[in-house]
Amino acid sequence: MKTEELDEVLEHHKKWLAGVGGKRANLRDANLQGADLRDASLQGADLRGANLQGANLRDANLQGANLQGADLRDANLRGANLRGANLRDANLQGASLDFSVWPLWCGTQDVVVDIKLVRQLLAHVCAVKCDDPEFDEVKNLIMPYASKSHRASGLGLKGN
């Protein structure tokens, strides 16, 4: 997709979000590989099957966006709001998700990730406080993986 076309879609979407005309962004199956979408307001946008490989989505608002089947490999999602986003079958291998909002609902079912993200998610689980003795058992099982996260030391976990 050409930059001019994308800018037009984003402008219409911004108006739609503000309730002053425009229309919801339909970027289904769009080729947005390497696109600069930093700080973009894409709440509720249709990005199903979009190629966002290597795209810069830093601090983008993707709340409620449909990213089902999207290719987000190596995308920068640092600080992105993914609350309520549908990530089912999306590929997030190599994506940076530091300081982002990871959705905790069934919309992440079948999302494809790499071991780096798994370790990061487990590190955050290990950093919570829970007074249930069963949690200590779980924590002991996952700590060897969580401690290898690039975020382990920042979460107060002993890294390897």
Side-chain angles (χ1 to χ4, degrees):
M1 176 175 271
K2 295 180 181 174
T3 305
E4 300 82 29
E5 290 176 88
L6 179 58
D7 289 343
E8 186 176 337
V9 169
L10 294 175
E11 187 59 36
H12 284 291
H13 190 71
K14 187 184 286 186
K15 289 178 182 176
W16 178 78
L17 288 171
V20 291
K23 63 181 180 178
R24 183 172 79 121
N26 181 356
L27 295 164
R28 186 174 186 173
D29 298 320
N31 184 1
L32 301 169
Q33 185 172 356
D36 186 359
L37 293 163
R38 234 177 346 201
D39 298 309
S41 295
L42 288 164
Q43 303 96 303
D46 185 354
L47 291 150
R48 286 176 289 173
N51 179 359
L52 290 154
Q53 187 176 356
N56 185 359
L57 290 151
R58 183 180 184 132
D59 298 319
N61 189 341
L62 294 156
Q63 185 171 349
N66 192 344
L67 291 149
Q68 184 173 357
D71 184 352
L72 290 152
R73 286 177 293 164
D74 301 315
N76 180 1
L77 288 156
R78 186 179 179 96
N81 182 353
L82 293 162
R83 182 171 293 143
N86 183 353
L87 293 168
R88 192 175 283 245
D89 296 315
N91 189 336
L92 287 153
Q93 292 177 318
S96 171
L97 287 149
D98 288 353
F99 306 103
S100 67
V101 176
W102 179 261
L104 291 176
W105 71 291
C106 296
T108 57
Q109 183 176 346
D110 297 324
V111 66
V112 179
V113 298
D114 55 22
I115 193 66
K116 178 183 176 190
L117 182 54
V118 170
R119 288 177 177 144
Q120 184 175 0
L121 291 169
L122 292 175
H124 282 277
V125 169
C126 287
V128 302
K129 294 180 181 174
C130 179
D131 62 0
D132 189 315
E134 185 179 350
F135 180 67
D136 290 335
E137 294 174 34
V138 171
K139 192 171 174 179
N140 287 335
L141 289 172
I142 64 176
M143 187 59 81
Y145 304 98
S147 64
K148 292 179 182 177
S149 167
H150 70 288
R151 300 292 308 148
S153 62
L155 292 166
L157 306 178
K158 184 179 179 182
N160 286 348

